[in-house]
Amino acid sequence: MLDKSRIPAHVAIIMDGNGRWAKERGMVRVQGHRAGMEALREIVKHSDILGVKYLTVYAFSTENWKRSLEEVSGIFKLLVLYVASELDELNRNNVRVNIIGDWSAVPEDARNSIKKALNTTENNTGLVFNIALNYGGRAEIVRSAKALAEKAAKGELDPAGITEDMFSETLYTGGMPDPDLIIRTGGEYRLSNFLTWQSAYSELVVTRLYWPDFTPQEYEKAIEEFQGRDRRFGGVKC
């Protein structure tokens, strides 16, 4: 049974399987992404209900540009649609929307929607909803290394004094706790360049369900599995 007193503070989700879900139903891939958007709506709501403090979802990776123009265009159109349909409710529920990744590269209409979501919710103090958009874990680490190197070159920072905490603060997730739990739908056992630095001690839960079939009930099952883990962070129990 779910222990509501031990809900993970930060849950991250690799929302995989939209395309396969659509293919098995004789649909085009974009229809799978649309169904996935409906699943996302419910998971965001349920995260808020459960008391999750940070929810990070992998919406579009730096590698996803390799997909067909039709699919990429469809994903960003769905982002615009999602913001248009959900922003008022997110704001009423005190959710703060945040983007991690280089979203300057996305289409203009999607950028405008992002700006609206960020501006509308910037002062909210509830669930922080991170959308990883044009995001790659390795690119994020390189970005942070460059930022620290520039400070060192200007004499503003002693390289010998760089710590893990200092490095973490330069990441897109600076100021946030690392994810306690990473859920991957679709059955693949890999992180796919997601939160590469932050995932060092995250618990991983993989389900074979495709993302459109991932319900709040399945979400609770994943958290129950997390609650059954023995998290030692490299130590041992006495």
Side-chain angles (χ1 to χ4, degrees):
M1 180 178 291
L2 186 69
D3 182 350
K4 293 188 177 179
S5 70
R6 295 194 299 120
I7 299 297
H10 187 172
V11 177
I13 305 178
I14 301 173
M15 307 180 295
D16 195 19
N18 290 342
R20 285 173 286 166
W21 182 93
K23 183 178 179 181
E24 289 182 6
R25 288 159 178 78
M27 302 175 179
V28 296
R29 291 179 63 87
V30 172
Q31 289 176 294
H33 293 303
R34 181 179 292 275
M37 185 180 74
E38 299 298 326
L40 177 60
R41 176 183 290 121
E42 296 304 315
I43 296 304
V44 173
K45 289 179 183 178
H46 209 60
S47 295
D48 197 25
I49 290 169
L50 290 174
V52 173
K53 302 300 183 185
Y54 301 86
L55 174 67
T56 302
V57 299
Y58 207 7
F60 191 88
S61 76
T62 49
E63 291 78 28
N64 286 159
W65 294 105
K66 300 173 185 176
R67 299 185 178 186
S68 71
L69 179 60
E70 178 185 14
E71 183 174 358
V72 170
S73 176
I75 289 171
F76 288 121
K77 287 178 181 177
L78 285 172
L79 173 63
V80 173
L81 180 62
Y82 180 84
V83 171
S85 63
E86 298 301 306
L87 183 56
D88 286 346
E89 183 172 355
L90 290 170
N91 194 40
R92 282 197 305 271
N93 291 332
N94 200 29
V95 174
R96 178 161 65 88
V97 177
N98 185 51
I99 304 296
I100 66 173
D102 181 14
W103 56 277
S104 65
V106 308
E108 184 178 7
D109 56 345
R111 289 202 310 274
N112 290 337
S113 291
I114 290 167
K115 290 174 186 176
K116 183 177 180 180
L118 296 177
N119 292 336
T120 301
T121 66
E122 64 179 340
N123 294 318
N124 291 347
T125 57
L127 171 69
V128 176
F129 177 30
N130 295 315
I131 303 173
L133 195 63
N134 193 28
Y135 172 88
R138 288 182 174 181
E140 179 183 30
I141 290 171
V142 170
R143 171 181 174 271
S144 295
K146 286 180 177 178
L148 291 174
E150 287 174 3
K151 285 188 175 183
K154 293 176 182 177
E156 300 172 359
L157 174 67
D158 178 4
I162 296 174
T163 64
E164 289 186 12
D165 287 343
M166 187 183 298
F167 192 89
S168 292
E169 285 301 311
T170 67
L171 298 170
Y172 290 118
T173 54
M176 304 179 198
D178 290 339
D180 302 291
L181 167 63
I182 297 179
I183 300 168
R184 179 163 188 154
T185 61
E188 303 290 354
Y189 286 81
R190 57 177 176 268
L191 287 174
S192 296
N193 202 20
F194 183 49
L195 301 177
T196 307
W197 173 277
Q198 300 91 329
S199 64
Y201 280 102
S202 302
E203 295 294 324
L204 307 179
V205 172
V206 175
T207 173
R208 297 189 67 82
L209 288 171
Y210 297 141
W211 175 246
D213 294 326
F214 191 74
T215 63
Q217 292 73 29
E218 294 297 333
Y219 188 27
E220 290 195 8
K221 287 181 185 178
I223 294 176
E224 284 182 38
E225 183 173 338
F226 162 81
Q227 290 177 342
R229 304 280 178 86
D230 181 13
R231 304 187 77 198
R232 297 186 301 275
F233 299 96
V236 295
K237 282 193 172 181
C238 298

